[in-house]
Amino acid sequence: MATAAIIGTAGYVGQETLDRVLAHPELELVALGSDTFAGQPAARLDPRLDASIPPFVTNADAAASGSDAIFLCLAHGEAAAFEPPAGAVVVDLSGAHRLTDPALAQAWYDAVPGAWSYGLPELYPPQGRLIANPGCYATAALLALGPLAGVTDGAVIDAKSGVSGAGKSLTASSHAGFVLENLSPYAVGTHRHAPEIAQQLGFAVCFVPHLLPVRRGLLATCYVQTDADVRELLDAAYDDCTAVRVLAEGVAPELSRVQGTDTAELGVFTDGATGTAIVICALDNLGKGAAGQAVQNANLALGLEPTAGLRLSGVLV
Ligand SMILES: NC(=O)c1ccc[n+]([C@@H]2O[C@H](COP(=O)([O-])OP(=O)(O)OC[C@H]3O[C@@H](n4cnc5c(N)ncnc54)[C@H](OP(=O)(O)O)[C@@H]3O)[C@@H](O)[C@H]2O)c1
């Protein structure tokens, strides 16, 4: 068994990562870090967590636990300041270590802590022990567009995410009174996942995110001009992948099939009027878009079964 610690467990991403680690057959949780809940039992986070689970310690104590794997589930400013302990595999689920260009890191994250290996297992497997887990929107856009990087030089991405994408703290734009019965674009043309997507694809993208009135799930519709056979390229890229599925012709991805899972669905279409290729990706922002992918990355870095601990199937209704 490899040992694991989670840092920043009180947030949505930390809580989801804890669930994956507890279900993992080859990881043993040895330290549960949270500066909010330090000193309290795990049940403080969720009454279903029993006394066999280690109680909360401070994030500093969890980092010093000597664990083989550390899941960093903090806001990006705190993640940028984190000193990785020698020898541990550290997966940062924030954006702090994703951008390789220091000027872009400064502009979008106000810090230049240095880029770590960008780990999206199906397309860009992580190298080494310090891993930058991709953003949730970036994961969906890259799964749709990554296999097309050599056959187009631009894309338009229209994406929508459930409210958990904004984290646990209440803000005016995550308040039920604003979110319910609403659909609102935000950070139009100014979202920090756009440079991340462009970095991996090698070309700029036009990206507009929207807030959906659901708790979890994310769907990105990507529009591309290309003469290539898009379905053939996607089929080839994900042929032997367990967590990413290219749907049959005419079948569209749906949030309900990926919510609560660590899988992603891709649908491939062509607009009859303009010939525009349309690739749609659905995933769970907290699953394949965060905790599930972080565990996948840790599995690869630790030499474990690649999909161990992942939730690979959901329910239909
Ligand atoms: N939400 C997503 O869909 C998503 C997807 C991919 C990546 N990410 C990234 O992952 C990181 C964590 O995101 P998140 O959505 O988990 O953010 P969050 O819910 O706001 O939590 C961030 C941190 O703040 C503390 N915290 C925040 N609210 C709290 C509350 N109400 N009660 C107790 N503690 C609270 C926790 O640290 P302590 O436990 O130490 O107190 C936690 O690690 C961010 O960098 C984010 O950009 C998020």
Side-chain angles (χ1 to χ4, degrees):
M1 288 288 258
T3 54
I6 304 173
I7 291 184
T9 317
Y12 283 147
V13 163
Q15 190 163 359
E16 290 281 322
T17 302
L18 170 60
D19 187 65
R20 303 306 186 285
V21 171
L22 291 177
H24 200 297
E26 298 173 73
L27 281 182
E28 181 195 358
L29 180 72
V30 294
L32 195 53
S34 169
D35 286 347
T36 302
F37 293 149
Q40 301 187 54
R44 174 67 181 78
L45 181 65
D46 183 331
R48 293 170 292 185
L49 297 172
D50 65 36
S52 66
I53 296 164
F56 284 107
V57 296
T58 63
N59 287 330
D61 284 349
S65 61
S67 297
D68 299 314
I70 292 179
F71 295 96
L72 206 51
C73 302
L74 299 169
H76 62 80
E78 293 162 298
F82 180 80
E83 288 292 337
V89 167
V90 184
V91 184
D92 179 9
L93 288 96
S94 86
H97 296 95
R98 292 180 196 145
L99 295 177
T100 54
D101 180 336
L104 286 180
Q106 180 63 46
W108 289 96
Y109 290 99
D110 201 23
V112 190
W116 291 359
S117 175
Y118 193 85
L120 200 169
E122 290 79 9
L123 296 173
Y124 325 108
Q127 310 293 321
R129 62 176 190 87
L130 300 181
I131 301 166
N133 211 54
C136 48
Y137 282 122
T139 297
L142 290 170
L143 287 174
L145 298 169
L148 312 182
V151 299
T152 189
D153 57 3
V156 175
I157 305 163
D158 174 277
K160 300 167 183 74
S161 171
V163 70
S164 59
K168 204 180 248 185
S169 299
L170 187 62
T171 63
S173 58
S174 64
H175 192 289
F178 176 81
V179 176
L180 298 180
E181 312 298 329
N182 198 5
L183 173 61
S184 51
Y186 64 99
V188 178
T190 59
H191 194 283
R192 55 168 63 105
H193 287 183
E196 179 183 335
I197 298 165
Q199 168 181 289
Q200 296 307 120
L201 294 177
F203 55 76
V205 294
C206 174
F207 171 55
V208 181
H210 301 73
L211 182 61
L212 271 182
V214 299
R215 279 204 244 177
R216 55 195 298 159
L218 181 164
L219 190 141
T221 304
C222 306
Y223 303 89
V224 181
Q225 303 298 333
T226 179
D227 294 330
D229 186 328
V230 171
R231 174 168 291 279
E232 196 175 276
L233 289 169
L234 288 167
D235 278 341
Y238 303 118
D239 190 30
D240 57 357
C241 293
T242 311
V244 179
R245 178 179 289 117
V246 181
L247 300 173
E249 206 146 338
V251 183
E254 284 187 21
L255 282 196
S256 61
R257 281 194 299 265
V258 294
Q259 281 166 327
T261 80
D262 299 328
T263 66
E265 290 190 346
L266 290 157
V268 186
F269 299 85
T270 305
D271 178 53
T274 64
T276 305
I278 303 169
V279 186
I280 305 170
C281 181
L283 51 75
D284 191 315
N285 53 295
L286 294 171
K288 181 63 177 164
Q293 185 141 265
V295 169
Q296 254 185 304
N297 277 320
N299 287 342
L300 293 178
L302 292 166
L304 308 180
E305 167 61 32
T307 56
L310 300 193
R311 292 188 201 155
L312 294 173
S313 58
V315 294
L316 276 181
V317 286

